[in-house]
């Protein structure tokens, strides 16, 4: 996976624990703490949230690719951070526990990244444990190597997978989420594909990189605004009654067809050429 940082026209945030590489409409984000298998600290989550805020403000970037440096996706939360929490003073009676607030920040981050207008591609090799597995579950397209290792490992540490559990259940269903969370079992990429946690399984890191490149090229042929609207409507089915969702969808269809992307897309089709957003893909 890429390990270089570019300097785009729209300045990217400075994130020491991440590698950010923008190539036109594609932003690649690499978790970059390979010495600890890219385990997430509170500071890394803060930096990830900063990147999400940047992406929210730059819808012209249509694709976000997330991977991990050093042949590992993410080993979950940094256990040293948990040890620091043990030493923190307990809150006074009636006051919220600061551990609760720290934990809740990760759920806020996952909610925001899942709702991004960008198409999010997650590429997993090595370990995806705990929060790393949760991060994989927010991807619009998730690819893993056959020998990647997954686990909902929190219960083995005496804690619940508190913030990631709803995202895991939404991805694979409550029944499978219960099986994984209540056993802490480890499983490989092939099993992750079988249960629907990942969409595609490839043989090795080289095949993973090739598949990501092909997916990025495919996404570039889609209008970024149309993709963002489609993603929002698909996500809305979780909470919106069908008649209301169909009404909303028809309104969005009309808005998009009358918009610049709709006019350009139809014109390009009739003129047998690529639309402007796909130039160079």
């Amino acid at each position: 996976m890429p390990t270089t940082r570019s300097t785009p026209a729209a300045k990217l945030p400075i994130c020491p624990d991440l590698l950010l590489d923008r190539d036109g409409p594609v932003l690649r984000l690499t978790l970059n703490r390979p010495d600890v298998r890219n385990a997430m600290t509170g500071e890394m989550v803060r930096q990830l949230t900063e990147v999400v805020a940047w992406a929210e403000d730059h819808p012209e970037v249509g694709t976000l690719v997330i991977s991990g440096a050093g042949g590992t996706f993410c080993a979950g939360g940094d256990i040293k951070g948990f040890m620091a929490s043990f030493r923190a003073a307990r809150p006074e009676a009636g006051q919220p526990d600061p551990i609760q607030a720290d934990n809740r920040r990760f759920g806020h981050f996952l909610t925001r990244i899942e709702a991004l207008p960008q198409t999010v591609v997650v590429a997993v090799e090595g370990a995806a444990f705990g929060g790393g597995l949760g991060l994989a579950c927010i991807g619009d397209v998730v690819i893993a190597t056959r020998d990647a290792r997954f686990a909902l490992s929190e219960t083995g540490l005496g804690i619940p997978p508190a913030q990631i559990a709803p995202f895991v259940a939404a991805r694979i269903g409550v029944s499978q989420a219960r099986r994984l969370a209540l056993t802490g079992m480890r499983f490989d990429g092939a099993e992750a594909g079988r249960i629907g946690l990942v969409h595609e399984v490839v043989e090795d890191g080289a095949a993973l990189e090739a598949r990501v490149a092909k997916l990025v090229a495919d996404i570039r042929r889609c209008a970024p605004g149309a993709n963002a609207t489609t993603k929002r409507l698909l996500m809305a089915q979780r909470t919106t009654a069908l008649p209301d969702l169909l009404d909303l969808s028809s309104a969005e269809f009309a808005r998009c067809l009358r918009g610049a992307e709709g006019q350009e897309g139809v014109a390009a089709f009739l003129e047998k050429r690529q639309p402007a957003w796909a130039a160079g893909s």
Side-chain angles (χ1 to χ4, degrees):
M1 307 307 292
T3 56
T4 59
R5 187 185 296 266
S6 66
T7 307
K11 186 176 180 181
L12 291 166
I14 302 300
C15 300
D17 293 332
L18 310 173
L19 294 170
L20 302 175
D21 183 6
R22 180 180 174 187
D23 179 12
V26 181
L27 175 63
R28 300 193 70 152
L29 183 162
T30 306
L31 308 179
N32 191 37
R33 301 182 72 225
D35 53 321
V36 290
R37 298 192 300 166
N38 301 317
M40 287 185 285
T41 62
E43 173 58 18
M44 179 185 271
V45 173
R46 187 196 67 76
Q47 293 174 30
L48 286 165
T49 304
E50 192 174 348
V51 175
V52 168
W54 184 95
E56 289 170 341
D57 290 338
H58 293 83
E60 72 277 9
V61 174
T63 307
L64 172 63
V65 179
I66 305 175
S67 60
T72 295
F73 183 63
C74 177
D78 192 320
I79 303 302
K80 292 181 180 179
F82 296 165
M83 294 298 295
S85 296
F86 295 157
R87 295 191 290 271
R90 290 183 178 273
E92 296 181 5
Q95 297 300 309
D97 194 321
I99 295 176
Q100 177 182 351
D102 287 343
N103 182 253
R104 186 66 180 90
R105 286 189 191 97
F106 191 57
H108 283 304
F109 158 69
L110 290 175
T111 301
R112 285 180 69 179
I113 194 170
E114 186 178 52
L116 280 176
Q118 287 79 15
T119 300
V120 179
V121 177
V122 178
V124 179
E125 57 183 332
F129 296 157
L133 187 153
L135 182 57
C137 284
I138 59 85
D140 297 307
V141 186
V142 187
I143 316 166
T145 58
R146 190 169 298 280
D147 61 355
R149 303 182 309 284
F150 297 81
L152 280 175
S153 50
E154 285 86 350
T155 51
L157 297 171
I159 55 177
Q163 296 299 299
I164 67 173
F167 298 91
V168 177
R171 174 56 60 99
I172 62 175
V174 172
S175 177
Q176 288 288 9
R178 287 163 59 183
R179 177 175 76 102
L180 300 183
L182 302 178
T183 64
M185 62 180 289
R186 294 192 179 191
F187 55 101
D188 62 13
E191 174 69 0
R194 188 188 72 80
I195 64 176
L197 196 153
V198 307
H199 300 106
E200 300 182 35
V201 181
V202 297
E203 287 302 319
D204 54 27
L208 184 68
E209 179 62 23
R211 187 64 186 127
V212 167
K214 177 61 168 61
L215 278 168
V216 167
D218 288 343
I219 295 166
R220 288 191 64 172
R221 286 193 286 271
C222 302
N227 264 12
T229 299
T230 299
K231 181 175 176 177
R232 187 169 64 252
L233 292 172
L234 289 171
M235 299 290 287
Q237 62 83 30
R238 295 180 182 174
T239 56
T240 306
L242 181 59
D244 294 335
L245 181 57
L246 293 176
D247 286 343
L248 175 62
S249 297
S250 63
E252 289 295 313
F253 179 85
R255 181 184 64 81
C256 289
L257 187 60
R258 291 184 182 276
E261 284 186 353
Q263 294 181 41
E264 167 64 7
V266 171
F269 178 83
L270 294 174
E271 295 167 11
K272 296 182 171 54
R273 60 173 175 81
Q274 281 192 328
W277 61 78
S281 64

